[in-house]
Amino acid sequence: MSDAAKHPIDQSVNPSTSDSPSSPAAGGQAGSRLRWKPQDIAVGAALGAACGVLFWGLNFGYAPLSALLGAILPGLMSMFHAMWYFSGTLALLILRKPGAAVYVNLVGSLIESTIGSQFSIALILISTLLQGLAAEIPFAVTRYRVFNLPTAIVSGALTALVYGCYLMLFYYQGVSFLSPRGIVHMIAELVGGVVFSGVMSWWLYIALAKTGVLERLASGRALSQRQREA
């Protein structure tokens, strides 16, 4: 197997099938590619529900892990916040549709809240919307045509930056950005965003695609095609 097949880091949309500005059918092709279909809604709902159950399970470990890491270095727990928002980047890699991160995050947060969570519904919903919108930006800049590891990493990092600042401004109000805890928090948040929301989401997508469960989606077909060509 070639290196390209082993490390499929480039999942850009094929220019020959994408909306080239010089093509008369550019608008129609772009609209078809980005339009949500029933299968996208169903897969997104299933992914969101699965993530919601995962978030709910992770909540049980939040308090003890936070206390442990806080005793070691205040702010270090922020590294693991990405485990509650990696779903946005993963959703975009799998569904490749505008709004995928917001949709899957919202479904996940509603499932988490319905099962039971120690966090307020307001915190969960506001965080969900911010995280989803931040995750969308790097993919939106490429007009949802580039789906690769670097884009996923930027998505995770931007989500971490936005969420880290949100926490500093509204929940850690007594903590300065330039204080030791503030600096540790922001660095840990960014590291977690890159590692969990960026890199981990990419390899989760690759693992799912290799099982064949994504064959009905463009993301699954794209990986299969690249592996055949390699």
Side-chain angles (χ1 to χ4, degrees), residues 29-227:
Q29 291 175 347
S32 176
R33 177 171 59 82
L34 300 179
R35 188 179 302 119
W36 281 75
K37 302 177 179 64
Q39 65 186 21
D40 300 316
I41 297 172
V43 171
L47 178 61
C51 290
V53 174
L54 174 63
F55 299 156
W56 171 77
L58 290 173
N59 287 341
F60 289 100
Y62 182 87
L65 184 59
S66 180
L68 175 62
L69 295 179
I72 297 173
L73 184 63
L76 191 59
M77 179 60 194
S78 299
M79 184 181 302
F80 295 94
H81 289 167
M83 291 299 295
W84 279 267
Y85 58 72
F86 76 91
S87 55
T89 301
L90 180 60
L92 286 158
L93 291 171
I94 291 176
L95 298 176
R96 303 190 171 192
K97 305 293 182 184
V102 175
Y103 173 57
V104 170
N105 279 5
L106 279 174
V107 172
S109 67
L110 290 174
I111 294 295
E112 178 189 1
S113 300
T114 300
I115 298 174
S117 172
Q118 70 267 39
F119 303 108
S120 69
I121 185 65
L123 170 62
I124 293 175
L125 290 178
I126 293 173
S127 299
T128 292
L129 289 172
L130 284 175
Q131 293 158 1
L133 290 171
E136 296 269 349
I137 292 174
F139 294 94
V141 168
T142 70
R143 294 188 297 168
Y144 297 93
R145 295 178 63 184
V146 179
F147 300 89
N148 54 22
L149 180 56
T151 309
I153 289 174
V154 174
S155 176
L158 186 57
T159 305
L161 179 63
V162 170
Y163 186 59
C165 291
Y166 167 70
L167 291 177
M168 287 291 293
L169 293 173
F170 295 99
Y171 284 89
Y172 305 157
Q173 294 174 331
V175 180
S176 168
F177 276 93
L178 298 179
S179 68
R181 182 178 178 182
I183 293 172
V184 171
H185 158 68
M186 290 303 300
I187 292 176
E189 193 77 56
L190 286 168
V191 170
V194 168
V195 172
F196 296 117
S197 188
V199 177
M200 186 183 77
S201 290
W202 172 257
W203 289 111
L204 280 174
Y205 152 62
I206 295 297
L208 285 171
K210 285 184 176 180
T211 67
V213 298
L214 303 181
E215 280 301 313
R216 297 186 64 185
L217 300 177
S219 57
R221 294 193 296 271
L223 181 60
S224 296
Q225 180 180 353
R226 287 188 62 84
Q227 289 180 328

Side-chain angles (χ1 to χ4, degrees), residues 8-25:
I9 62 171
D10 185 3
Q11 289 290 310
S12 305
V13 174
N14 190 330
S16 65
T17 59
S18 64
D19 48 316
S20 171
S22 61
S23 169

